[in-house]
Amino acid sequence: MAWFEAQKIHKRFGDHVVLEEINLGFEKNQLSGIMGPNGAGKTTCFNVLTGMYKPDRGRVMFDGEDITGLSPPQLARKGISRSFQMMNIFDEYSALDNVLLAVPEVRKAGFNVLHDLPNNASANDKAADVLARVGLKGKENTEALSLSYGERRALEIGIALAAEPRILFLDEPTAGLGTEGTAKLADMIRSIKEGLSIVIIEHDMHFLFGLADNINVIQWGQVVAGGHPDVLKAN
């Protein structure tokens, strides 16, 4: 059994079957990819894996535990973190404050400690370190709304990283990025992936082939191919 595994996942909306007998496995400390054209079912699959949708049949297993149907907050407490295709950022907060709110010690204390955050040296140091990891050093006090689109993409990944996840899911991280922005994002992900388990859903084949240890291809709601990028390139 893989470290994170989907077993015979089936999902339908009304009469429309979106996922049919999906089997996926992601290993610890690897970067795994899910690829497929628009309408293939990959986003629905991603949402099932991260608790946004409950499968109609099948199981999702994480480190030997059945996590099928658990909510996103419950999964977050188990070390599963994700970004979204549509960015989820507090525009009126600084980059540092956005990341601070995801630091575990701050989340445990709740929003009632917001006024004490400037005095929490430990949490501030952790947040600043995360911003440096995603290429936003020097942008700590910049309002999120004032960041460039690529920087906002990096900030959202930083927010997900700040939760100290055991596995990080990234949903279409290149969406809206040009060639230069995509290249910068790829460099950033390379810099953070060591010692971290990452799963990326992505339509940009070149981007994913340059990063992933293994890739699964979804089409018509089924996994139609999988393996090392070199194997898929030859297919």
Side-chain angles (χ1 to χ4, degrees):
M1 178 182 291
W3 187 57
F4 191 107
E5 190 167 273
Q7 302 174 351
K8 297 185 177 180
I9 296 296
H10 183 95
K11 183 66 182 176
R12 68 188 301 154
F13 296 100
D15 294 332
H16 181 48
V17 176
V18 183
L19 302 176
E20 186 174 2
E21 298 293 308
I22 290 282
N23 292 290
L24 295 168
F26 311 125
E27 297 298 341
K28 193 173 184 179
N29 297 331
Q30 287 192 355
L31 194 154
S32 303
I34 299 175
M35 187 174 69
N38 291 334
K42 62 185 188 298
T43 298
T44 299
C45 178
F46 207 71
N47 285 332
V48 168
L49 298 180
T50 56
M52 302 296 290
Y53 298 150
K54 184 176 180 179
D56 298 315
R57 294 199 304 269
R59 298 193 306 169
V60 181
M61 305 292 295
F62 180 41
D63 198 14
E65 179 182 359
D66 189 339
I67 60 170
T68 310
L70 294 186
S71 68
Q74 289 173 314
L75 294 181
R77 287 192 288 272
K78 293 184 179 296
I80 299 170
S81 186
R82 69 165 288 178
S83 72
F84 292 85
Q85 186 173 353
M86 299 298 291
M87 284 183 281
N88 191 18
I89 293 172
F90 292 108
D91 285 336
E92 69 277 16
Y93 287 9
S94 70
L96 186 71
D97 284 345
N98 266 278
V99 174
L100 270 170
L101 292 175
V103 172
E105 63 192 81
V106 174
R107 295 184 67 169
K108 287 178 183 177
F111 283 89
N112 60 320
V113 302
L114 277 175
H115 65 284
D116 293 325
L117 286 181
N119 300 318
N120 189 328
S122 174
N124 275 270
D125 287 346
K126 288 178 181 178
D129 180 64
V130 168
L131 287 174
R133 289 181 66 192
V134 298
L136 293 177
K137 185 175 183 179
K139 301 284 186 175
E140 293 85 356
N141 297 317
T142 302
E143 190 178 74
L145 189 61
S146 299
L147 296 172
S148 70
Y149 187 85
E151 289 171 339
R152 286 166 60 81
R153 278 286 174 197
L155 176 59
E156 192 185 30
I157 293 175
I159 293 168
L161 278 177
E164 300 177 4
R166 298 168 66 196
I167 185 167
L168 173 63
F169 286 82
L170 301 179
D171 185 4
E172 296 276 7
T174 69
L177 292 176
T179 302
E180 183 179 351
T182 298
K184 287 182 178 179
L185 180 65
D187 288 340
M188 184 265 283
I189 291 177
R190 286 190 191 95
S191 73
I192 68 171
K193 78 172 192 173
E194 185 174 353
L196 180 63
S197 305
I198 302 175
V199 180
I200 299 178
I201 179 176
E202 185 56 63
H203 67 277
D204 187 326
M205 294 173 59
H206 180 74
F207 175 83
L208 204 52
F209 280 0
L211 290 170
D213 298 299
N214 61 82
I215 297 172
N216 285 281
V217 182
I218 292 180
Q219 175 66 297
W220 306 296
Q222 298 176 312
V223 177
V224 297
H228 189 275
D230 289 342
V231 173
L232 295 182
K233 286 178 185 178
N235 187 336

